[in-house]
Amino acid sequence: MRLTRLVGALLPAMAFLSCLRPESWDPCVQVVPNVTYQCMELNLSKIPDNIPTTTKNLDLSFNPLSHLGSHSFSNFSELQVLDLSRCEIQKIEDDAYQGLKHLSILILTGNPIQSLAPGAFSGLSSLQTLVAVETNLASLEDFPIRHLKSLKELNVAHNLINSFKLPDYFSNLPNLEKLDLSNNKIRNIYHEDLQVLHQMPSFKLSLDLSLNPLDFIQPGAFEKIKLHELTLRSNFDSTEVMRTCIQGLAGLKINRLILGEFKNERNLVVLDKYALEELCNLTIDEFRIAHFQDFPKDYRGFLNCLADASAVSLMSLNIGRLESLPTGFKWQYLKLSNCKFEDFPTLKLTFLKQFIFTANKVITTFTKLNLRNLEILDLSRNGLSFKTCCSYRDFGTTRLKHLDLSFNSIITMTSNFVGLEQLEHLDFQHSTLRQASTFSVFLSLKNLLYLDISYSDIKIVFQGIFDGLISLQVLKMAGNSFQDAFLPNIFRDLTQLTVLDLSQCQLEQVSPEAFGSLLRLQVLNMSHNHLLSLDMLPYKNLSLWLLDYSFNRIVAANGQELHHIPSNVTSLNLTQNDFACVCEHMRFLQWVQDHRRILVGAEHMMCKTPLAMQGVPVLSFRNTTCQMNQTVISVSVLSVLIVSVAAVLVYKFYFHLMLLAGCRKYGKGDSTYDAFVIYSSHDEDWVRNELVKNLEEGVPPFQLCLHYRDFIPGVAIAANIIQEGFHKSRKVIVVVSQHFIQSRWCIFEYEIAQTWQFLSSHAGIIFIVLQKVEKSLLRQQVELYRLLRRNTYLEWEDNALGRHIFWRRLRKALLDGKPWSPEGTVDAEGSQDEAMPSI
Ligand SMILES: *[C@@H]1O[C@H](CO)[C@@H](O)[C@H](O)[C@H]1NC(C)=O
Ligand SMILES: *[C@@H]1O[C@H](CO)[C@@H](O)[C@H](O)[C@H]1NC(C)=O
Ligand SMILES: *[C@@H]1O[C@H](CO)[C@@H](O)[C@H](O)[C@H]1NC(C)=O
Ligand SMILES: *[C@@H]1O[C@H](CO)[C@@H](O)[C@H](O)[C@H]1NC(C)=O
Ligand SMILES: *[C@@H]1O[C@H](CO)[C@@H](O)[C@H](O)[C@H]1NC(C)=O
Ligand SMILES: *[C@@H]1O[C@H](CO)[C@@H](O)[C@H](O)[C@H]1NC(C)=O
Ligand SMILES: *[C@@H]1O[C@H](CO)[C@@H](O)[C@H](O)[C@H]1NC(C)=O
Ligand SMILES: *[C@@H]1O[C@H](CO)[C@@H](O)[C@H](O)[C@H]1NC(C)=O
Ligand SMILES: *[C@@H]1O[C@H](CO)[C@@H](O)[C@H](O)[C@H]1NC(C)=O
């Protein structure tokens, strides 16, 4: 039951969702709004409705369009580029592209076209490039492109075309420059196939016939024909076929001929010299040959055929030796790449301007060249060693502008480019430079613009190393090292420098003057060093806009230094450093937040310390944490202070507090004793015999609190003094004597008594001075002394009259505030008075 209801609810929802499928929504990627849309592989069967009509570039590749009806694209009249690769298109109707007046590139690669209407491409009046690779095309003759007057490039590679017959309508395509017929089924080329080219002498076609299984070219077929470029790679099964075919090219005038095989498409097992010598009957300006595994050893003859060529490239050939070539050769450009030379070629080509000799891994040492017009020399990637370098004597030229010695072995610097003052570009990267930091190697290179000595294993000790490079604009010196990991001011002369790469130089410190002369510097790479702080001072005056400080060990920067950040910096890379996300660096962390606009990958700047923050983005560090911490700290410091002061006070006034607590507890009126007697133990006799006798046994009797008698055993004396003595007594009698004053204990008791008097309003202290105390002694107890001076006290006199008066006064004082008692204390005074004479 429930299940069916659930399904019943879900089904409409799913139906609704399926309406929102990509097709009706917005499936395409908007690369440039209103201009470029990419709708690749979206299972579309038609163009989505929401593509704006202003679109210029539309990529619909890998969608199952299957069939293009007429006016399929008429709503997109602005289209310039339309990619319909692999759209399973089988049928293209008349006027399918009608209205695309601006379309210049149409790509139809990989569609299994069965039916192509005669007017399929009509309306494409601006089409320049038509790519119909892999479209089941069987012949150019039937291909309905005769009206595409603006066509420049036609690519029909990888089809089923078996005839090279260039259709007559080519004469209607005056702009055609490039025809790619590679990877078709063409076997034979006959004279009449090229009829249209004979009729149009101005044509200069670039023709690619690679990967066609050529068997035969009719002799004279290319007689008097001019081509811009002809590519014949992996066309021949045998050297015989190759020879007859090249024979068939006799009389051809060509700008560039490209012969060879593809690395992974090798047909020819043996190549003999005669096949190549047939090239003598062609007029070739630029010749390239590549990837013949079995290159004939005796190939000099064929090179003679190329004597008048201006450019020759021999690449990936099995050539062991290049015999010295006649000086009469007109070659200006020679490239020898990835061959197996056993000796360094000795060339005397007087016209040679560019010599590129790269990736020839067999030879290990360089021998001197003598090429007096050479301007560009590229000897990179050979693993060569140079025993001397570099002066005009090494290359026999003073015209050199570009020298590339990168990716070689050891290069020993013995000269500072004497006679090579024209050099503008110099590349030594990834070669090991010896003695480069012992003298001003580059001193004479006043015209040098570009210098790359990256990863050349130099330890820079000599500060004049870059002296003389007054025009230099780019200096790349990554992967070298400095003495003491310190960058001194070695750039004094480089006032024109705009790009400097100092990455991976193990730098720990930078001199504040290091960049002082580089006022034009725009890009500086300090990444992958060991710098500990972001010191901006050295960069202050520069017009830098990019500064790469990534992969260092920067913990933070102090706020002062950050003021020096050059004003033009728009890109500062501080990622991959060791940031400490602690409140101490709050200013720096705040600066990061404020400058994330110029910080590259600011969201990828991670904290390294403290451990708890490791891997957390620096941007997520919050100010408030610190502010809160400050409050917490100050509050806790304050409370600790208060507590300790309180503890000290409690410790000091513990007894006084006990008194205070007791006052509350006992309150008024419930006193057990009339008086608590404080005395020195030396005066105990007097207390027992005189005081106790007279007061407790007289009329009315007073109840005294005496510690030897009334204190509870087992309770601390101090506690007893307070609880038994003070709290339960109305008055305190202080028996002052010489001993009393000298006893600290007595003085303590007396001080408590004072507090007690202060706390309980009704209390009173009665002083009895037992014997004359020396004034000097009394003065030590300032408080007591003062009290005695200010208050009246009872003085004990050991004679009849004195005693009488003493007891009278003491009783009177004790009676003060004594509650009425049934024993008739009211009369006590009187009765005492009566009794007086008897004393
Ligand atoms: C795209 O075209 C639409 C309609 O023509 C227009 O409103 C819009 O502003 C355009 N957008 C851009 C980015 O040009
Ligand atoms: C493509 O769309 C069709 C219907 O237009 C559908 O039948 C087919 O399953 C879809 N293919 C994929 C892979 O989505
Ligand atoms: C062209 O656009 C109109 C209106 O937007 C629409 O009715 C028509 O179907 C579109 N034509 C094509 C071929 O998509
Ligand atoms: C090709 O050149 C050779 C000499 O190198 C010559 O004997 C031959 O007649 C030429 N062939 C054509 C077709 O010009
Ligand atoms: C700086 O050098 C490092 C490595 O040497 C490199 O990855 C980085 O892209 C360079 N930065 C810039 C801005 O070129
Ligand atoms: C920057 O320029 C000022 C004057 O323009 C100068 O005084 C100062 O020394 C320079 N700073 C550095 C680091 O070169
Ligand atoms: C910053 O750039 C502007 C223009 O890009 C330039 O005029 C100015 O001189 C630069 N500032 C510095 C300090 O170099
Ligand atoms: C740092 O950022 C710059 C600018 O985006 C970039 O060119 C450079 O490659 C980055 N550095 C590293 C080491 O990725
Ligand atoms: C962080 O603190 C600084 C002052 O130290 C203040 O200017 C800034 O506004 C604070 N930022 C936030 C996000 O609280």
Side-chain angles (χ1 to χ4, degrees), residues 58 67 111 130 313 333 338 350 356 377 455 458 490 520 562 569 592 673 743 761 808 833 835:
L58 183 57
H67 160 240
N111 286 293
L130 176 58
S313 301
Y333 174 99
N338 198 19
T350 40
I356 296 158
L377 176 60
Y455 304 95
I458 306 178
I490 51 173
R520 295 189 175 209
L562 293 168
V569 167
V592 170
Y673 306 106
S743 156
S761 52
R808 251 181 87 104
D833 281 350

Side-chain angles (χ1 to χ4, degrees), residues 673 679 692 696 703-712:
Y673 306 106
Y679 60 94
V692 173
E696 292 199 343
Q703 187 63 40
L704 294 181
C705 175
L706 294 164
H707 62 74
Y708 67 85
R709 187 184 66 193
D710 299 314
F711 280 9
I712 302 162

Side-chain angles (χ1 to χ4, degrees), residues 31 153 254 265 267 402 429 558 627 651 700 719 771:
V31 183
E153 190 178 337
I254 188 165
E265 287 278 347
N267 308 329
H402 180 118
Q429 63 171 304
N558 81 39
Q627 282 151 5
Y651 176 75
Q771 52 190 214

Side-chain angles (χ1 to χ4, degrees), residues 660-707:
L660 184 62
C663 284
R664 289 255 178 79
K665 199 158 130 206
Y666 296 101
K668 258 186 198 168
D670 38 358
S671 306
T672 314
Y673 306 106
D674 291 305
F676 170 49
V677 187
I678 302 174
Y679 60 94
S680 159
S681 54
H682 291 276
D683 303 322
E684 192 160 315
D685 276 351
W686 182 83
V687 171
R688 282 180 189 227
N689 297 333
E690 297 288 343
L691 194 68
V692 173
K693 236 187 202 135
N694 272 296
L695 292 182
E696 292 199 343
E697 290 165 15
V699 181
F702 292 101
Q703 187 63 40
L704 294 181
C705 175
L706 294 164
H707 62 74

Side-chain angles (χ1 to χ4, degrees), residues 727-741:
H727 284 149
K728 293 190 181 166
S729 306
R730 280 192 302 114
K731 308 248 173 200
V732 171
I733 297 174
V734 180
V735 183
V736 180
S737 70
Q738 196 83 19
H739 299 297
F740 184 93
I741 290 169

